[in-house]
Amino acid sequence: MKSAGSMGINYMQKLLTSNVPKELVKKGQDRVVEASLTLIRERAKLKGELVRGLGGAVASTALLGIPLGHNSSFLQGPAFAPPHIREAIWCGSTNSTTEEGKVLDDQRVLTDVGDLPVQELRDTGIDDDRLMSIVSESVKLVMDENPLRPLVLGGDHSISYPVVRAVSEKLGGPIDILHLDAHPDIYDAFEGNKYSHASSFARIMEGGYARRLLQVGIRSINIEGREQGKRFGVEQYEMRTFSRDRQILENLKLGEGVKGVYISVDVDCLDPAHAPGVSHIEPGGLSFRDVLNILHNLQGNIVGADVVEYNPQRDTADGMTAMVAAKLVREVAARMSK
């Protein structure tokens, strides 16, 4: 079955090869892009004004949804994740206080600027080169509104490249990245797609947007993954040695001498017993408490983050993985806000 996105792209390609002037199509695309970015810009302005009006915040976490799934090599369900994660964040089954005592009802701790309308953009025939630039621009619009800092809801892992690029460019230099994942996502161009969710960190490292990249939870890695890791100087911590590495990983100090720390959490870093609702089920992963211990003990100025690859189409009927993703968001937000 074709996805709605691919059908929209194919429709626009037919228009471009017909008698419809290319300039007419481009003008239409430009209007949709401007409308999409205006939505994010104005929501970010509103939330930024509110946080500044409340006072006392040095950094405030702002959720930004990027419902993109077409760069997945297997299933595209992560495109539907952001609303499910939001619903779980505010689910009445739990209270609004994080484990470290931050109250999420306080807009200075967590606010929300909504979703970039990815599907509507793709329906106009915009290619991935331009789409990635639009994602980066949307992140910069959030960061324009000090003290907002972006916590991006994916979406597949391809979004990390334009998000990290935006954070690094906005701050004026490289950052350190803590990447929690079952996979290194560092192929040069997986299946010929340079924007594949399996290639995002190759693009990040090529661009010089990160000084250090620590990858934790790795348990599905091949020769190319290891060679690419060596090429870019990546610190790869595989699950087969986690018991030995635990002391290091639960006492990380990152971001000194650079512009800060970025956290990227692929939900499949967790063992599927804890999070079955992912596209790539890979046994032998981290426990939820392992992940929280790493996050809670991390020392560094967190300037941005993403939580990606939750697939609601593979979740349990009661949305267990949505609750897991939501708690990851809650705890990362608490660490970022101050």
Side-chain angles (χ1 to χ4, degrees):
M1 180 181 293
K2 292 182 178 180
S3 69
S6 66
M7 288 188 286
I9 292 288
N10 291 335
Y11 172 72
M12 292 304 300
Q13 287 173 341
K14 289 178 181 178
L15 281 181
L16 290 170
T17 56
S18 66
N19 294 324
V20 177
K22 292 182 180 179
E23 294 77 11
L24 187 64
V25 173
K26 184 178 183 303
K27 285 181 180 179
Q29 290 175 335
D30 290 345
R31 287 196 301 270
V32 174
V33 170
E34 181 55 33
S36 301
L37 291 175
T38 297
L39 174 67
I40 300 302
R41 180 186 299 111
E42 294 306 318
R43 286 183 62 98
K45 282 184 178 179
L46 174 63
K47 298 305 176 73
E49 289 168 354
L50 174 61
V51 170
R52 290 191 295 272
L54 290 170
V58 175
S60 178
T61 301
L63 297 183
L64 170 64
I66 307 292
L68 185 157
H70 66 275
N71 282 320
S72 174
S73 60
F74 183 41
L75 301 174
Q76 298 189 5
F80 304 105
H84 291 269
I85 297 174
R86 284 190 179 92
E87 181 181 6
I89 290 172
W90 304 111
C91 175
S93 72
T94 184
N95 62 52
S96 62
T97 304
T98 69
E99 289 198 6
E100 293 187 316
K102 295 283 183 70
V103 180
L104 299 180
D105 288 332
D106 186 339
Q107 294 273 318
R108 293 168 296 185
V109 176
L110 181 65
T111 190
D112 194 337
V113 302
D115 291 351
L116 183 71
V118 172
Q119 188 60 60
E120 288 78 3
L121 288 162
R122 295 193 73 233
D123 282 347
T124 69
I126 286 172
D127 63 21
D128 264 7
D129 286 333
R130 190 172 186 190
L131 181 60
M132 292 298 166
S133 295
I134 294 167
V135 172
S136 291
E137 182 61 26
S138 69
V139 172
K140 290 178 181 179
L141 290 173
V142 173
M143 296 179 71
D144 281 343
E145 296 300 322
N146 189 57
L148 301 188
R149 295 186 179 184
L151 199 172
V152 178
L153 305 179
D156 68 43
H157 221 151
S158 68
I159 69 166
S160 292
Y161 164 56
V163 175
V164 168
R165 178 176 64 183
V167 172
S168 175
E169 289 179 348
K170 188 69 178 175
L171 296 177
I175 52 182
D176 286 345
I177 301 176
L178 173 61
H179 170 207
L180 298 159
D181 202 328
H183 318 87
D185 292 349
I186 203 165
Y187 285 97
D188 180 58
F190 189 70
E191 297 179 338
N193 180 7
K194 67 179 181 179
Y195 293 126
S196 169
H197 69 156
S199 300
S200 50
F201 288 91
R203 302 289 82 78
I204 288 168
M205 299 308 287
E206 283 175 351
Y209 302 118
R211 177 188 64 175
R212 293 179 68 187
L213 171 59
L214 284 74
Q215 299 184 319
V216 181
I218 304 299
R219 56 194 185 278
S220 179
I221 183 171
N222 60 13
I223 292 173
E224 182 177 355
R226 289 194 173 91
E227 289 179 346
Q228 286 280 87
K230 290 178 182 177
R231 173 189 172 194
F232 293 119
V234 180
E235 300 163 58
Q236 294 176 330
Y237 292 91
E238 298 185 38
M239 283 307 301
R240 61 191 176 90
T241 60
F242 180 72
S243 59
R244 184 184 69 202
D245 299 330
R246 180 189 294 273
Q247 184 67 23
I248 296 170
L249 298 174
E250 292 184 356
N251 293 278
L252 292 173
K253 190 173 185 178
L254 301 174
E256 290 187 332
V258 289
K259 298 298 182 178
V261 182
Y262 185 93
I263 298 173
S264 181
V265 183
D266 185 322
V267 178
D268 73 21
C269 72
L270 293 160
D271 190 274
H274 300 270
V278 295
S279 299
H280 298 269
I281 293 172
E282 194 66 46
L286 297 161
S287 74
F288 193 83
R289 186 53 53 184
D290 291 333
V291 172
L292 285 195
N293 286 344
I294 292 169
L295 295 176
H296 285 163
N297 293 323
L298 172 65
Q299 297 180 57
N301 178 30
I302 303 170
V303 293
D306 62 61
V307 174
V308 299
E309 295 286 355
Y310 163 52
N311 185 345
Q313 295 179 331
R314 301 197 85 182
D315 205 356
T316 58
D318 58 358
M320 181 178 108
T321 314
M323 292 299 292
V324 168
K327 181 150 184 173
L328 288 169
V329 169
R330 290 159 59 101
E331 296 301 319
V332 171
R335 293 304 319 280
M336 195 186 308
S337 298
K338 55 187 177 181

